[in-house]
Each structure stands twice: as structure tokens, then as C-alpha cells.
Amino acid sequence: MNGRPAQLPALGAEFRTAPPFFPRLGDLAHDTARDGRIGVVVALPGQGAATYHLRPPGDGAEWSAPADGTTLRPVPAQATHVTPMKRDAAYDHRAQQGIVPVRIHYEDGGTSEALLVLTLDEMELYHCQVGRIIELRGKAREGAS
């Protein structure tokens, strides 16, 4: 077995679901040929170079990546925080899990929606923690008046 489930056929590049990534100068890129190493693109193919040239953020030795960009992937913006959405939480009795809709905020200003899935133990823990936050808020209000 090649590590791929039998029901998933081997698809060629012609069936890519994401558009190809062609980084620009200064972009961060993961290089899959270098174990996901992240580098800043410092030279593009065709601009005095036959390949992409990358350098580790900060400093370090440059390396090259194929001119077609097949080994390069974009580096997503980092998440900064998560906030609950104003939607009802749900409980899945069969899985014994709570589900809370959340919004993930990224450093570039973007957001995405996801679900926070909580086990029974986690629900009890967060129930206690949220109760503690409410208690602290009450004490702060009393002290401010």
C-alpha cells in the first residue's frame, strides 16, 4: 500500500483543486522539497535566475526551488485569536461533544469560521473557567464603584 486509501485514485496535476502558487519577491513560502522549510523569495525565475531563490527569514544560506514552483506553498497568515460567534451552541449526544461556532482572526486582518468541538471534560472545565471570569468581572465592577 502506498499510504493512500484505496478509494482515492492517484490524481495528476491536471486535477489540482487549488490554483498554482507563483510567489513574488518578498513572499514567504514553504518548500515541500526541503521538509516544509520556510523561506523568503529573494529571486524569481527569469530575473537573472533559472529557479526561485529563497533565504530563511532573518538570515541564512540561500537555496533554490524549481522554476515551475511545484514545491512551493504559500505560508498562511498566523491566527491571533478566536472569538465565539453569535450563534447557538449545539450538543451531539452520540459523540458526546459540544459544538461552539467560532471566528478565527488572522494577523493580516482576515477571518474564517470554524467549530470548537469540546469533550464532556472540556465543557465542564470551560463552564468553571467562564464562571470564574464572570466572578472576576463582578468584583472589578464592585471595586470601580
Side-chain angles (χ1 to χ4, degrees):
M1 177 151 191
N2 62 6
R4 182 178 26 254
Q7 68 273 22
L8 296 177
L11 299 177
E14 67 273 13
F15 293 107
R16 292 181 87 159
T17 57
F21 176 56
F22 299 107
R24 299 172 301 197
L25 283 176
D27 282 354
L28 286 176
H30 283 281
D31 190 346
T32 60
R34 302 276 179 147
D35 294 325
R37 188 174 180 191
I38 295 176
V40 178
V41 177
V42 295
L44 302 173
Q47 296 182 349
T51 60
Y52 284 98
H53 288 244
L54 297 98
R55 181 178 298 137
D59 199 18
E62 281 188 22
W63 75 92
S64 61
D68 62 5
T70 54
T71 67
L72 300 179
R73 302 289 180 271
V75 175
Q78 296 295 306
T80 59
H81 62 286
V82 177
T83 55
M85 296 176 66
K86 293 181 180 176
R87 295 189 191 154
D88 285 341
Y91 179 70
D92 182 340
H93 176 71
R94 287 176 292 155
Q96 296 188 346
Q97 295 175 328
I99 299 146
V100 179
V102 295
R103 179 166 283 117
I104 303 168
H105 300 263
Y106 298 95
E107 63 188 0
D108 66 359
T111 62
S112 63
E113 295 180 7
L115 297 174
L116 174 61
V117 179
L118 301 166
T119 65
L120 294 173
D121 288 342
E122 291 165 337
M123 284 187 279
E124 289 179 12
L125 172 67
Y126 290 126
H127 173 77
C128 292
Q129 290 179 339
V130 170
R132 177 76 177 134
I133 292 169
I134 292 169
E135 180 182 312
L136 292 171
R137 183 186 77 172
K139 287 181 180 178
R141 282 184 172 173
E142 290 171 6
S145 29

